[in-house]
Each structure stands twice: as C-alpha cells, then as structure tokens.
Amino acid sequence: MAMTPLEELRHSTAHVMATAVMRLFPEAKLDIGPPTDTGFYYDFDIGHRFTPEDLARIEEAMGKVVGEDQPFVRSEVTREEARKFFEGRGQPYKISRLGDIPEGEAITFYTNGEFVDLCAGTHVASTGRIKAFKLLSIAGAYHRGDERNKQLQRIYGTAFPNREELEAYLHQLEEAKKRDHRKIGREMQLFAFDEDVGPGLPLWLPKGTVIVEELERLAKETEFAAGYDRVRTPHLARESMYITSGHLPYYADSMFPPMTLAAESVPDSQKPRYREEFHREIHAGELTEAKMDRLISLAQEMAKGLPVERYYIKAMNCPHHHKIYKAIPRSYRDLPLRLAEYGACYRYEQSGELFGLMRVRSMQMNDAHIYCTPEQFGEEFNAVNEMYLRYFKLFGIAKYRMRFSTHDPARLGEKFVGEPELWKQTEDMVRRVLADSGIDFIEVPNEAAFYGPKIDVQVWSAIGREFTIATNQVDFAVPKRFGLEYTTAENTKATPLCIHRAPLGTHERFIGFLIEHFAGDFPLWLAPEQVRVLPIADGQMEVARAIERKCRGLALRATVDTSPDKLGAKIRRWQLDKVPYGLVIGKQEAAAGTVSVRSRQKGDEGAMALDAFLERAAMEYRERTLTVAV
C-alpha cells in the first residue's frame, strides 16, 4: 500500500534519526523504523542505555543530516548481495528482516549520505525536505514483538510538514500527559494494579466501581428499551466449544493456556489416538475450511472418552451466546433475538502491550449478539449504529468515524471463511446501511474478522486524541458451525445472521477514554462523589450530616468533609477531588435552611434553598445531563 505524503515524511525522518544514531553510536545494531499514526520510531540493539540527554544529542545530529540535504537514493540488489552487505556491517536484524521478503519480490536499499537501509520505501526527495521534527521518548521493545526475543531500545519521534503543526501536536501531547488516565486514576483512587494479582488485571477501587456500575446501568436501561434480553454465562468452557467456533486455533495466542483436568474414570483401553493428532493439527499451517472441519471432527471424537479434559478461560462471549440460542427451538417469529451480557473475558495480551486500562488481560464487555433473518439485518444493524450515536451525544463526543473492514478475496479459506457469495452479500448490506444512515465511515480492505465484515468505532477525545472504543461485526459463518437454525414461514430450516456489537466496548478501555476525555471532571451522573458538604465549623456538623442523608435518600452520592481544616482548605480539597458540587454550610445557611452552592463548572453560585438544589441535582442525575464542558 502506497504511503501518504505525511507517512513518507515520517518514514524519511526515521532514516535521518538512524543516520544520526549511527554517527554517534557506530556499534548500534539496527532493526526497523516505520512511520506510525502519530510519528515514527526506530529500534536499536546497543549496549549503551539511551537517556533523555542522548535524545537531545541525536536531535542535534539529525539537524546536521537535514542541513546536508542528502538525497534518498533507491537501488535494487539481489538477496545474496543484501545478505553479504549486512553481514559485513554486523547487522543481524537486517539479515533477519531480509527473510521476510517473499521470493520474487524486489529487494531494495535506500541510501542517504553514508547511511544504507533495507527498505521498500518510499521517501521524500532529500533530507532537506524535513522541516519540523521532535524526538519524544525511549521505550523497550521486543524484537518482532515477541517477549521470547531480545528486548531492544525504541526511540519514538514525530514529524510534520511545518513548525506550526508540530507545535500544535506537542501542545496536545502536554495536555494528554495532564489527562493521562493512569495518573488521574491514581490521584482519584479509581483503580489499581498489584503484582500479586498480576499484570493487566485491574482492581476497581470503590470510586472506580461507581463509574463501572453507572455505565452498566446505562447500558441495561438502553438495551431494555431496545428489546434486548439479558443472559449470564460461565467464565470458562471446554476446548471443543472453541474449536467449533473457530477461535481455536485462530485466537489461540490471545487466550490463556488451558486448564487440564484428569478424567481418571476412563480406562487406558479407551484412551483414543486423537489427542496427539489433534494438537499436531491445531498448530500446523493456516486456518482453512478443510482444517476447521478436521479439527471439529477430532474434537468430537475426543469428547467421547478422553483421559483428560481441557478447559479455557473465556476470551469472548459469542460462543456461549450461540449455545443459549441453540438451547431452545427458534422460529422466525422469535427473531430478531437480542442477547446481552456484561460478560467478563480474559485475554493473554503480551506484557509489552499492556497499558493502563487501555490494554488489559481481564475485561468486562458491553456485549450483545443479535440473531436475525437477512430481511431484518438492515434495520437491526442501523439500530445498533443509532445506539452508538446516542451514546456519543451523551458523552459529548463530537468527532467519530466508523472504520468498515472488509475481506480480501485472494485469502478466502486462509484468513477468511471461504464463502465468497456470503462475503459479497453481507458487505453490500453493511455498506448500504452505512451509506443510507449518513454516518461518516471509511472502508479498509483485508481487516475483517475471519467470519464476516466488521466496523471499528473510532472516536476523538476532547483534546483530539483518537481511540478505538468499540466494534460492530457481522457473522454469517459461525452460527452455521454451531448448527443454529430457525423455522421459516415456509416451515423450512434456515441459519440466522448474527450481529456482534459492543457500543461501550469494555469498561476498562471506555473508562480509560472517559477519564482522559473529561480529565477526571466527570458529569454529575458519572462522578464517583457527586456532592460534598463543607461545614464551616463543628457547629454546623449536625446540619451537614442531615444534608448528606437527604442527598443519599435521593440516591445522590454525598459526603461530609469532617476535617478540622479551615473553609479555604476544604474548598481547595473539593476542587482537587473534582466533585461536581460543594455545599458550604455556615451559621447563616444552617439557620435559613439554605446552602451556598459551588459548582465545578460555574464557580460560586451563591445561596440556594436546599430543596431547590436537591431537585436540580436529582434531575441532572436522572437525565444524565452533560454538566461539564468538553
């Protein structure tokens, strides 16, 4: 795929950075340096540990390379020439990457000045075209992203066509640091991680649990109104179910290893030959239709009398929901059937990819599966999209886009289920719904789920950071594997389509997004603490406690600041804790039955009758009013 001009600029800047590093540290071994959505990086293997001071030196050296206006020159070489070149320069990672280039494909070098790199390109004409760049950070990165390999040092940077765009981006980064969900989550005591529990397994503290439960309540109310039925499923299941679904072996690397249970009652004479054959087959080659059928057959044979049973902890909810659908005979009159669950899932993400709440190993998914006829599909799929739009409005998300991922016809039966007609039919249906609804979307080939087209929901936070928060997928293949059917009006059997949808994604990722979107200043309905009563002196403590009880009687989350501090200190603490309302109670307010209202958004609002304030706050809570500016 051709690079955009911005990607070309950033890729060229990565080469300039590598040129500078080699001038300063000629012993460095080079891996790769691609452009990214926000800049570029390059991975180095070097005995010296890079420091922030090194970044300044590298930037200075980069400036000299840019000033030399070195042209980027492309040349084709043979595989043997390339191997000998990098062997002579002690660059083993380049030789390793050489093996990734398929036979028959051109092998190209790009040269600027004294620097030569194995690279498919493309680049700007010369280093002098690079006008605005900045090195940002240093991180560890395993070679090829595999934690079994050596950890390299990765230098991240960014580049833009001009200084103004670079400065705007750097300003956004500074704002993002202030809004970092890990920092705010720690300060507001929302969640924690603990080494004894394990990496990527968040512990929700009481205040964070409030946000989790408010989101779950929102989803349950919204889905009840939309005709969803709620279900609950176990946290684990037998291996055979994930073979049938296709998640094994397709998602095996993302699943936790299985639990093996002995079945001692099975005599040795009944131990089948299938297990060895099955595990040899599951790890061999690409996923094809023939292989899938073979694995299902082997799994069924094994289930008849295994010496051991293998259970996997749940990585996805859909197979369980398919089993719930199948538990009861279905008619066309029962469709659409919408099954919803806040199901806990567990995925073995690589340790280097874990990142706060954004990338975790345990997650609560706002999941649902809609089983429908082809005739019902358009209306159901559009209703899901409309639900997304209502949520966007509720959370003040002004910029969003649907990323429509389709299949690659050349990879049917390999990466994608081999059903060309169904692929065309379902992709046309999704495309038509998106176009008719007027929703902003882009189409991306070769990134669909293996069982059907999907939509990734991209949103931008208040400071312009992009997040993928949810998915919406069409499944025409797996229901057939589970034998899901319904009786048609003509009294024949048909397989339903299945829409996988999760508008709020996972609690973990969505709350991480919300923390950064609101900078911890949540609207009243989401705020862990909604009202704080601030008595000026101990003489108002009894009245303050009575106000707290009244708030809680209306389900408002209220506390009293019982500290001996002066009012100024209490107000400062209320502000730092980002509580939407502070109610100051002095002698005058206590006598008059009023409160002096302070709002995070409006400041000092002055005296107000207590009942009037409570009515206002209760309404904001009930209606989920967006009480903050975003």
Side-chain angles (χ1 to χ4, degrees):
M1 186 181 296
M3 288 190 187
T4 65
L6 184 57
E7 288 172 332
E8 202 173 65
L9 173 71
R10 288 171 171 171
H11 185 45
S12 302
T13 313
H15 278 230
V16 168
M17 179 175 71
T19 307
V21 169
M22 294 304 293
R23 286 184 176 182
L24 295 171
F25 306 96
E27 74 279 14
K29 294 178 175 60
L30 307 168
D31 191 10
I32 55 171
T36 68
D37 290 342
T38 58
F40 60 87
Y41 67 80
Y42 213 112
D43 289 346
F44 304 94
D45 184 0
I46 181 174
H48 171 78
R49 178 61 60 185
F50 287 132
T51 65
E53 291 73 24
D54 289 327
L55 293 191
R57 292 176 62 206
I58 296 168
E59 272 193 14
E60 183 180 357
M62 288 173 69
K64 292 178 181 177
V65 175
V66 169
E68 292 166 12
D69 196 21
Q70 303 169 351
F72 284 97
V73 180
R74 179 183 183 274
S75 59
E76 289 195 20
V77 296
T78 67
R79 191 175 298 271
E80 184 60 20
E81 286 171 337
R83 185 184 63 78
K84 287 183 177 179
F85 178 86
F86 289 118
E87 277 183 352
R89 284 158 178 76
Q91 295 292 343
Y93 300 105
K94 292 299 180 184
I95 298 172
S96 172
R97 296 290 177 179
L98 186 63
D100 298 340
I101 303 174
E103 290 294 335
E105 188 172 308
I107 296 173
T108 56
F109 284 178
Y110 271 86
T111 302
N112 60 283
E114 76 278 16
F115 182 70
V116 183
D117 207 352
L118 177 69
C119 179
T122 52
H123 291 277
V124 297
S126 68
T127 61
R129 301 290 182 92
I130 299 169
K131 304 297 183 184
F133 62 88
K134 179 70 177 175
L135 300 187
L136 301 172
S137 62
I138 306 159
Y142 292 107
H143 175 51
R144 295 185 179 275
D146 188 337
E147 59 188 3
R148 293 169 297 186
N149 292 337
K150 185 172 184 180
Q151 190 176 65
L152 311 181
Q153 293 186 76
R154 176 172 293 178
I155 298 180
Y156 285 98
T158 192
F160 286 89
N162 54 64
R163 179 61 56 178
E164 292 74 21
E165 289 183 59
L166 175 62
E167 291 298 334
Y169 176 72
L170 295 177
H171 174 73
Q172 183 190 88
L173 283 184
E174 285 303 311
E175 186 64 26
K177 287 180 183 177
K178 298 175 188 175
R179 293 172 177 251
D180 188 321
H181 76 280
R182 296 167 300 175
K183 173 178 176 289
I184 293 176
R186 183 171 55 253
E187 292 170 349
M188 294 184 68
Q189 300 177 3
L190 302 179
F191 60 90
F193 291 92
D194 187 277
E195 283 302 310
D196 286 337
V197 176
L201 302 171
L203 298 168
W204 289 103
L205 304 181
K207 291 181 178 180
T209 302
V210 167
I211 303 175
V212 169
E213 292 184 345
E214 285 292 349
L215 288 177
E216 189 165 346
R217 186 166 67 88
L218 167 68
K220 287 180 176 179
E221 290 176 4
T222 303
E223 290 163 1
F224 178 78
Y228 286 73
D229 294 315
R230 301 208 70 78
V231 296
R232 295 176 72 87
T233 59
H235 288 234
L236 73 167
R238 278 179 167 160
E239 182 179 60
S240 56
M241 186 177 78
Y242 295 116
I243 296 295
T244 301
S245 70
H247 290 99
L248 285 176
Y250 195 78
Y251 284 117
D253 289 345
S254 296
M255 297 173 71
F256 276 88
M259 293 169 276
T260 302
L261 307 177
E264 297 177 358
S265 60
V266 179
D268 288 346
S269 61
Q270 294 182 21
K271 293 179 181 179
R273 69 185 185 282
Y274 300 106
R275 175 153 302 281
E276 182 180 347
E277 186 178 350
F278 174 79
H279 284 287
R280 184 172 63 248
E281 184 83 14
I282 199 172
H283 294 296
E286 294 283 353
L287 178 67
T288 64
E289 284 293 292
K291 179 175 179 178
M292 180 65 72
D293 292 340
R294 177 67 178 150
L295 288 170
I296 291 172
S297 175
L298 287 170
Q300 291 169 344
E301 291 298 327
M302 286 191 297
K304 293 177 182 177
L306 292 178
V308 296
E309 288 188 299
R310 293 161 74 90
Y311 283 80
Y312 280 85
I313 194 165
K314 181 168 63 172
M316 64 292 297
N317 296 307
C318 39
H320 294 76
H321 288 191
H322 296 335
K323 290 294 188 181
I324 289 175
Y325 178 99
K326 194 175 181 179
I328 302 171
R330 309 289 179 179
S331 158
Y332 73 96
R333 298 179 187 276
D334 301 319
L335 303 184
L337 177 67
R338 310 176 188 96
L339 302 179
E341 177 181 20
Y342 255 103
C345 295
Y346 306 86
R347 295 180 184 170
Y348 189 72
E349 302 287 358
Q350 296 295 318
S351 60
E353 295 177 345
L354 298 175
F355 181 71
L357 295 178
M358 298 301 185
R359 201 75 178 262
V360 293
R361 288 176 172 168
S362 71
M363 60 209 75
Q364 290 279 330
M365 296 188 70
N366 170 223
D367 221 348
H369 297 87
I370 302 170
Y371 302 89
C372 63
T373 68
E375 295 76 22
Q376 295 167 334
F377 173 81
E379 183 177 349
E380 290 302 310
F381 199 78
N382 188 61
V384 171
N385 289 334
E386 290 296 325
M387 187 180 291
Y388 282 109
L389 297 180
R390 287 196 294 275
Y391 285 149
F392 295 160
K393 184 176 181 180
L394 180 66
F395 294 108
I397 300 171
K399 184 179 178 182
Y400 53 85
R401 177 183 292 156
M402 305 293 189
R403 196 171 186 270
F404 175 32
S405 297
T406 59
H407 79 298
D408 179 355
R411 303 190 70 183
L412 288 173
E414 176 193 338
K415 183 178 178 182
F416 306 107
V417 171
E419 298 274 6
E421 290 303 315
L422 285 174
W423 275 107
K424 183 179 186 308
Q425 177 187 348
T426 51
E427 287 178 355
D428 286 346
M429 291 162 68
V430 173
R431 196 178 288 112
R432 187 162 51 249
V433 172
L434 289 171
D436 291 347
S437 66
I439 292 175
D440 182 25
F441 76 96
I442 58 172
E443 193 163 323
V444 183
N446 198 30
E447 291 191 14
F450 75 93
Y451 48 68
K454 70 170 181 173
I455 287 176
D456 290 312
V457 183
Q458 311 293 120
V459 299
W460 280 259
S461 71
I463 61 167
R465 286 191 67 196
E466 183 179 1
F467 294 80
T468 301
I469 60 165
T471 60
N472 193 9
Q473 302 174 359
V474 186
D475 184 351
F476 58 75
V478 179
K480 185 190 301 183
R481 296 194 181 285
F482 278 89
L484 306 190
E485 295 180 335
Y486 64 93
T487 305
T488 68
E490 292 75 31
N491 205 32
T492 60
K493 296 294 184 181
T495 301
L497 286 172
C498 179
I499 300 172
H500 303 236
R501 46 108 286 181
L504 298 178
T506 69
H507 279 322
E508 290 72 18
R509 186 171 184 81
F510 195 69
I511 291 175
F513 163 76
L514 290 178
I515 291 171
E516 299 193 4
H517 183 55
F518 292 120
D521 248 330
F522 296 106
L524 178 85
W525 70 275
L526 265 183
E529 183 183 349
Q530 296 167 318
V531 179
R532 183 172 295 175
V533 188
L534 308 172
I536 293 178
D538 287 347
Q540 291 85 53
M541 194 63 69
E542 187 177 335
V543 175
R545 289 293 192 192
I547 293 173
E548 178 189 32
R549 290 192 293 273
K550 275 199 167 187
C551 287
R552 289 180 171 266
L554 295 170
L556 291 169
R557 297 182 286 273
T559 62
V560 177
D561 187 332
T562 59
S563 71
D565 296 337
K566 294 184 177 180
L567 180 61
K570 292 182 178 182
I571 290 174
R572 282 192 297 275
R573 187 161 49 246
W574 161 74
Q575 290 173 327
L576 288 172
D577 291 346
K578 304 186 183 206
V579 181
Y581 287 111
L583 304 182
V584 176
I585 307 295
K587 288 182 180 179
Q588 184 175 337
E589 288 82 6
T594 61
V595 289
S596 180
V597 178
R598 289 178 178 264
S599 162
R600 286 280 299 161
Q601 295 302 311
K602 299 177 182 178
D604 189 349
E605 297 188 51
M608 184 182 297
L610 174 60
D611 288 344
F613 167 78
L614 293 177
E615 182 180 347
R616 165 181 149 182
M619 182 186 70
E620 288 177 359
Y621 185 22
R622 184 172 59 250
E623 297 183 0
R624 297 189 174 97
T625 306
L626 188 63
T627 53
V628 299
V630 291

